[in-house]
């Protein structure tokens, strides 16, 4: 039978063996640590604490975040009750920080970092700098770059005073570059990032260099150097692929897609966004998936591929709901864990706070949903409703008008000689004309009327409870407003007119037929001189 000392030696050797496979085989690391943890009573107290910490670390490495956080909180309670040595406090708090940051709970992570700063100010310079960097990263993520720079300056001073490794300075300069980028101080951002990249190259650290190349690309993009940004992103992708850093690849492909989209390179933008989707799904990065779907919505809308845009919009909504559910679960878990550490009055106050936070989050999610629905229904240039929305709205309004025996008028309008405007004055001037015409239309209609961009230079107006005579008056007013506007404000010599076809046919059997008849009237207006409104075709009826 194995002696107690023999059992302890065997378990100690198993722990040492587990440490050797921690980086390359997280699943095997967890299996070995779990085996030792089941027999931890055979170890000395100091060794038991090490096993407990290793188990939390193994759960975290394997993505079992909730279990890891629960384990950390149990250890914190044990530490508070004096069951484990106070010397292990720093290691435990570092694990808590990693758990909270992995779960996106940056405020809780910040509390642990600040507590570590207070207790380790003179003990461990490297740990102190690491926590200063973590706090600075939190403030950068929160958009408070000036506050981040204050902590980064402290980190730089501590680095200089204690002769820490050069890699520490590389991390400081990298985070400083991010702060300067947020403040749009691009010259300082370039300088800081180039210094960080030089350090990574000297030290042969491919992962750090690849990640910071992606940050350098963001600086190039912000400076309007989109082509340089794409070149740097390609280098970053190759470098991170070489060092097997797959978890960073989805975000960088998404970054490249955004740059291509800004350059109106839709094919390349779609390619990178689709790659980001595939990789993010493998890595279970729901937020990157959601952002990629959202980007593809905009790309396909610009291409007027509304079917694809709608598919990606639905996928985006589904992911947003999934992300919100996960965040809600994590907040409730945090609430449950905090309850175990506080007295009843503190529990009550914290519960109310968390309830308010969840209510606010629900309101924000609903506002975001409404905003996205509006974006899905709007033309990006004119901000009027787009064709997809107009067709659905016309169908609904037509059926309601027929059911309630109410008049309905449909107007199809088209700018005259719009191609000549683009050819003579430029497409930029043409875009300004479209936006101004949209403004004129919208400002001269009732709240119950619907105006939208049907396609190109065509506009569609839906006028409920309006007969042919009333619609004719409205359209004549709109036509005069367009013709009489001082278009020289946009370009000298520019003149713009509009033709309109009106249909209020009570015998139309469908909204499609109503639309076809309005199109016939518009065609007649175009063929009889333009800059006019056509409401009936007596000669064609004959």
């Amino acid at each position: 039978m194995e002696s107690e000392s023999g059992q302890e030696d065997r378990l100690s050797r198993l722990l040492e063996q587990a440490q050797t496979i921690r980086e390359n085989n997280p699943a095997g690391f967890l299996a070995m640590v779990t085996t030792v943890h089941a027999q931890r009573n055979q170890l000395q107290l100091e060794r038991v604490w090490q096993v407990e910490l290793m188990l939390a670390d193994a759960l975290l490495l394997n993505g079992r975040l909730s279990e890891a956080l629960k384990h950390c909180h149990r250890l914190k309670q044990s530490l508070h009750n004096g069951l484990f040595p106070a010397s292990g406090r720093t290691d435990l708090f570092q694990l808590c920080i990693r758990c909270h940051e992995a779960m996106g709970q940056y405020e809780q992570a910040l509390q642990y970092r600040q507590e570590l700063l207070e207790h380790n100010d003179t003990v461990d310079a490297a740990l102190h700098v690491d926590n200063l960097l973590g706090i600075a990263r939190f403030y950068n993520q929160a958009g408070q770059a000036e506050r981040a720079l204050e902590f980064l300056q402290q980190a730089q001073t501590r680095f200089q005073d204690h002769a820490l490794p050069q890699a520490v300075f590389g991390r400081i300069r990298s985070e400083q570059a991010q702060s300067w980028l947020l403040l749009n101080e691009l010259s300082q951002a370039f300088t800081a990032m180039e210094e960080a990249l030089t350090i990574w190259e000297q030290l042969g650290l491919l992962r750090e260099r690849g990640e910071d190349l992606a940050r350098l690309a963001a600086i190039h993009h912000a400076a309007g150097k989109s082509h340089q940004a794409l070149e740097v992103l390609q280098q970053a992708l190759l470098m991170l692929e070489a060092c097997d850093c797959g978890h960073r690849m989805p975000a960088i492909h998404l970054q490249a897609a955004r740059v291509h989209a800004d350059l109106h390179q839709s094919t390349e933008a779609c390619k990178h966004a689709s790659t980001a989707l595939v990789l993010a799904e493998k890595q279970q990065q729901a937020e990157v998936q959601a952002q990629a779907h959202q980007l593809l919505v905009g790309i396909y809308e610009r291409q007027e591929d509304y079917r694809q845009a709608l598919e990606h919009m639905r996928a985006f909504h589904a992911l947003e709901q999934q992300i919100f559910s996960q965040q809600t679960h994590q907040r409730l878990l945090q609430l449950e864990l905090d309850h175990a550490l506080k007295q009843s009055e503190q529990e009550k106050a914290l519960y109310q706070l968390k309830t308010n936070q969840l209510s606010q989050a629900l309101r924000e999610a609903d506002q975001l949903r409404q905003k996205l629905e509006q974006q899905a229904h709007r033309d990006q240039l004119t901000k009027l409703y787009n064709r997809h929305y107009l067709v659905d709205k016309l169908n609904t309004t037509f059926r309601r008008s027929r059911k309630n025996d109410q008049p309905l008028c449909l107007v199809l309008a088209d700018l005259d000689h719009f191609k000549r405007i683009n050819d003579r004055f430029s497409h930029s001037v043409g875009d300004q004309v479209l936006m101004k015409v949209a403004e004129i239309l919208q400002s001269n209609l009732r709240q119950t009327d619907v105006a939208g961009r049907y396609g190109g230079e065509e506009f569609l107006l839906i006028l409920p409870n309006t007969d042919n005579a009333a619609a004719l008056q409205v359209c004549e007013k709109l036509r005069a407003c367009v013709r009489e506007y001082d278009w020289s404000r946009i370009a000298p010599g520019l003149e713009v007119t509009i033709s309109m076809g009106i249909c209020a046919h009570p015998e139309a059997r469908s909204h499609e037929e109503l639309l076809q008849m309005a199109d016939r009237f518009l065609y007649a207006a175009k063929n009889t001189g333009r800059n006019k409104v056509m409401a009936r075709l007596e000669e064609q009826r004959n």
Side-chain angles (χ1 to χ4, degrees):
M1 184 176 179
E2 191 177 23
S3 66
E4 289 184 4
S5 61
Q7 289 175 347
E8 185 166 354
D9 288 341
R10 176 176 58 80
L11 293 175
S12 296
R13 288 194 301 272
L14 196 57
L15 284 179
E16 292 172 2
Q17 184 181 352
Q19 287 284 20
T20 64
I21 65 171
R22 176 182 179 277
E23 296 290 339
N24 297 325
N25 186 3
F29 175 59
L30 175 60
M32 296 179 75
V33 173
T34 302
T35 299
V36 177
H37 187 265
Q39 305 173 60
R40 62 189 181 281
N41 292 336
Q42 301 173 25
L43 297 170
Q44 294 182 6
L45 183 62
E46 211 172 287
R47 203 62 161 164
V48 171
W49 177 253
Q50 179 189 0
V51 173
E52 297 286 3
L53 291 176
M54 288 179 68
L55 179 59
D57 179 44
L59 290 168
L60 181 58
L61 286 173
N62 282 271
R64 293 162 63 172
L65 304 182
S66 298
E67 292 177 63
L69 188 59
K70 282 184 178 179
H71 193 68
C72 284
H73 276 265
R74 283 195 294 268
L75 294 181
K76 187 178 178 182
Q77 185 66 54
S78 298
L79 193 66
H80 178 74
N81 294 334
L83 299 179
F84 289 109
S87 59
R89 181 175 176 280
T90 297
D91 292 334
L92 173 59
F93 277 27
Q94 289 284 75
L95 269 173
C96 290
I97 289 168
R98 288 173 53 205
C99 284
H100 284 300
E101 288 185 342
M103 296 173 77
Q105 299 172 350
Y106 298 107
E107 292 183 1
Q108 289 90 336
L110 178 64
Q111 293 173 4
Y112 280 105
R113 288 194 181 279
Q114 290 174 330
E115 196 166 344
L116 280 176
L117 282 180
E118 294 171 6
H119 289 84
N120 293 280
D121 189 35
T122 59
V123 177
D124 189 332
L127 177 61
H128 190 79
V129 170
D130 182 73
N131 281 301
L132 287 169
L133 279 166
I135 293 172
R137 186 163 55 250
F138 168 83
Y139 281 116
N140 273 337
Q141 289 169 339
Q144 301 180 39
E146 293 178 344
R147 187 78 174 120
L149 286 171
E150 295 175 11
F151 285 93
L152 290 168
Q153 184 57 53
Q154 295 180 41
Q156 190 165 342
T157 301
R158 185 58 66 99
F159 165 79
Q160 293 166 346
D161 292 345
H162 291 81
L164 296 173
Q166 194 68 7
V168 175
F169 187 62
R171 292 172 61 202
I172 293 171
R173 293 302 277 159
S174 174
E175 203 62 43
Q176 285 174 331
Q178 184 67 13
S179 298
W180 292 123
L181 173 60
L182 290 172
L183 292 170
N184 205 33
E185 297 288 344
L186 301 184
S187 177
Q188 296 186 68
F190 271 118
T191 301
M193 187 53 70
E194 290 292 349
E195 286 186 35
L197 287 168
T198 300
I199 291 171
W200 305 140
E201 187 173 13
Q202 291 172 348
L203 297 177
L205 298 175
L206 288 181
R207 178 178 64 82
E208 288 79 0
R209 182 167 171 77
E211 290 178 347
D212 275 354
L213 281 171
R215 283 186 167 184
L216 178 62
I219 300 171
H220 279 305
H221 192 203
K225 301 176 181 178
S226 299
H227 293 288
Q228 292 94 320
L230 290 173
E231 293 175 5
V232 173
L233 284 172
Q234 186 61 34
Q235 295 176 39
L237 287 169
L238 293 172
M239 199 162 293
L240 290 171
E241 186 176 7
C243 62
D244 197 26
C245 294
H247 67 284
R248 288 287 293 123
M249 305 288 277
I252 296 178
H253 275 291
L254 180 60
Q255 187 178 349
R258 286 180 172 139
V259 178
H260 280 296
D262 286 349
L263 291 171
H264 301 288
Q265 297 173 351
S266 299
T267 301
E268 288 299 315
C270 286
K271 175 182 174 183
H272 280 283
S274 299
T275 302
L277 273 178
V278 173
L279 296 177
E281 186 175 0
K282 290 181 180 178
Q283 297 286 337
Q284 297 183 338
Q285 298 177 6
E287 290 189 7
V288 175
Q289 288 178 260
Q291 292 171 25
H293 280 300
Q294 189 177 29
L295 179 62
L296 285 165
V297 169
I299 294 171
Y300 284 120
E301 278 189 343
R302 285 194 295 274
Q303 295 178 340
E304 297 186 3
D305 188 345
Y306 299 109
R307 183 183 62 81
Q308 289 277 16
L310 183 59
E311 288 180 5
H312 286 287
M313 178 59 68
R314 287 171 176 166
F316 172 78
H317 279 305
L319 281 165
E320 282 292 286
Q321 291 175 358
Q322 174 188 332
I323 292 168
F324 178 74
S325 296
Q326 291 172 348
Q327 291 173 342
T328 302
H329 173 73
Q330 290 168 2
R331 289 180 183 180
L332 290 171
L333 171 63
Q334 182 63 41
L335 177 62
E336 175 189 343
L337 294 171
D338 286 344
H339 278 189
L341 301 174
K342 300 184 183 296
Q343 298 298 321
S344 59
E345 285 302 316
Q346 292 174 317
E347 290 178 345
K348 182 179 178 181
L350 185 59
Y351 181 84
Q352 186 61 49
L353 174 63
K354 293 297 181 180
T355 301
N356 292 341
Q357 289 177 342
L358 289 173
S359 297
Q360 178 64 25
L362 286 169
R363 287 193 296 269
E364 291 173 356
D366 188 60
Q367 291 171 2
L368 176 61
R369 178 189 59 78
Q370 293 178 19
K371 180 181 177 182
L372 291 171
E373 286 180 354
Q374 284 293 319
Q375 291 175 345
H377 295 154
R378 295 285 179 177
D379 173 62
Q380 289 191 340
L381 177 64
T382 64
K383 308 308 178 188
L384 296 179
Y385 289 112
N386 59 29
R387 182 177 186 138
H388 177 76
Y389 177 84
L390 288 170
V391 172
D392 285 347
K393 184 68 174 178
L394 177 58
N395 182 25
T396 303
T397 308
F398 179 83
R399 285 189 283 107
R400 183 169 59 246
S401 297
R402 290 293 295 271
K403 178 181 178 181
N404 299 329
D405 194 24
Q406 295 172 335
L408 170 66
C409 191
L410 184 68
V411 180
L412 197 58
D414 187 87
L415 296 183
D416 298 326
H417 301 301
F418 186 70
K419 185 177 184 302
R420 294 183 189 176
I421 295 175
N422 281 333
D423 293 343
R424 179 181 173 188
F425 294 96
S426 79
H427 286 273
S428 175
V429 168
D431 287 347
Q432 293 180 64
V433 168
L434 289 170
M435 289 188 287
K436 176 51 68 174
V437 169
E439 181 184 326
I440 291 171
L441 296 177
Q442 192 69 62
S443 62
N444 285 280
L445 292 175
R446 302 168 300 179
Q447 288 188 346
T448 55
D449 298 331
V450 177
R453 185 181 178 191
Y454 193 61
E457 65 271 23
E458 280 191 321
F459 297 88
L460 189 69
L461 310 179
I462 303 173
L463 311 179
N465 294 312
T466 306
D467 59 20
N468 225 336
L472 185 59
Q473 291 181 351
V474 172
C475 291
E476 283 293 353
K477 178 183 176 182
L478 293 173
R479 183 192 62 78
C481 288
V482 172
R483 179 176 57 81
E484 294 169 4
Y485 179 75
D486 184 7
W487 295 102
S488 63
R489 295 180 182 180
I490 294 177
L494 175 63
E495 294 182 355
V496 180
T497 60
I498 192 168
S499 298
M500 298 182 176
I502 302 174
C503 180
H505 201 301
E507 297 179 2
R509 290 166 295 182
S510 67
H511 69 282
E512 292 96 340
E513 184 176 340
L514 195 66
L515 187 58
Q516 291 171 2
M517 295 173 71
D519 190 45
R520 287 172 53 205
F521 297 148
L522 172 62
Y523 184 77
K526 288 285 189 181
N527 283 348
T528 55
R530 292 185 170 84
N531 187 28
K532 62 169 58 179
V533 178
M534 185 68 73
R536 57 178 58 85
L537 292 176
E538 297 294 339
E539 68 278 9
Q540 289 193 16
R541 290 180 184 177
N542 296 330

